Amino acid sequence: MNIELPKDAEGREIPLDTKALYGKDGEGLDVRHFEFSPFSGKWIIAALKGGPCNWTGVYRSPQNVHLEKPAPPDSWEKLLEDLDNTAKKASSSIYIATPCAWFSDGNRHCADCPADEPPEDTCGVKLIKDIAARIRKLRGEER
């Protein structure tokens, strides 16, 4: 019998030596062990949640956990906050261009910046496209 590794909510394999996972709400889970049922062919994860003074034992299906802490959902408030922070960072230094402040806080080399690939557009065009994509997503438009 060939048993596949459990897969998280994004479909990524969860190594059996994983010590920490995250619930859908982003809450940390301290993994105790993995259980596989040969009868159902399903995995269950035994974990603790909470803190040192109030641990609670929980069982989770792998498809209900994440290997990495899920990003909080985008919102109009978050978009405005990101725009305000970008403007503040870009205007407080003559060395930080606006796209650098948007994509990487101005502390990365261009080769490490997400705006560096693909090379068809300039960083400024990519900045506008990124903001437009977030607006469309917040409006419920698919493109």
Side-chain angles (χ1 to χ4, degrees), residues 34-54:
F34 294 86
E35 298 175 13
F36 179 78
S37 168
F39 301 107
S40 67
K42 294 183 180 181
W43 285 96
I44 292 292
I45 300 165
L48 296 174
K49 71 175 188 174
C53 296
N54 64 346

Side-chain angles (χ1 to χ4, degrees), residues 62-89:
Q63 58 266 25
N64 291 328
V65 299
H66 301 268
L67 279 168
E68 298 170 359
K69 190 169 187 172
D74 206 1
S75 67
W76 290 106
E77 293 77 17
K78 175 78 173 109
L79 176 59
L80 287 170
E81 180 182 320
D82 290 348
L83 287 165
D84 288 340
N85 288 337
T86 298
K88 187 185 303 180
K89 286 182 247 174

Side-chain angles (χ1 to χ4, degrees), residues 3-143:
I3 300 171
E4 292 186 18
L5 287 173
K7 293 186 174 142
D8 78 347
E10 282 84 32
R12 297 176 293 192
E13 288 184 344
I14 304 172
L16 296 180
D17 61 351
T18 300
K19 301 291 182 211
L21 293 167
Y22 299 91
K24 288 185 177 183
D25 59 358
E27 182 176 33
L29 299 171
D30 184 18
V31 177
R32 299 282 102 191
H33 64 270
F34 294 86
E35 298 175 13
F36 179 78
S37 168
F39 301 107
S40 67
K42 294 183 180 181
W43 285 96
I44 292 292
I45 300 165
L48 296 174
K49 71 175 188 174
C53 296
N54 64 346
W55 288 112
T56 303
V58 294
Y59 290 93
R60 293 285 187 265
S61 177
Q63 58 266 25
N64 291 328
V65 299
H66 301 268
L67 279 168
E68 298 170 359
K69 190 169 187 172
D74 206 1
S75 67
W76 290 106
E77 293 77 17
K78 175 78 173 109
L79 176 59
L80 287 170
E81 180 182 320
D82 290 348
L83 287 165
D84 288 340
N85 288 337
T86 298
K88 187 185 303 180
K89 286 182 247 174
S91 65
S92 67
S93 172
I94 60 171
Y95 301 106
I96 300 176
T98 304
C100 296
W102 178 260
F103 287 110
S104 65
D105 293 333
N107 59 4
R108 289 186 182 168
H109 186 273
C110 292
D112 298 328
C113 180
D116 195 46
E117 292 293 329
E120 299 87 52
D121 294 326
T122 65
C123 296
V125 170
K126 290 176 184 172
L127 167 65
I128 293 167
K129 286 182 175 182
D130 190 59
I131 295 168
R134 285 180 65 182
I135 291 170
R136 284 187 187 93
K137 188 172 180 181
L138 288 168
R139 289 175 54 177
E141 299 173 15
E142 293 300 320
R143 192 168 192 212

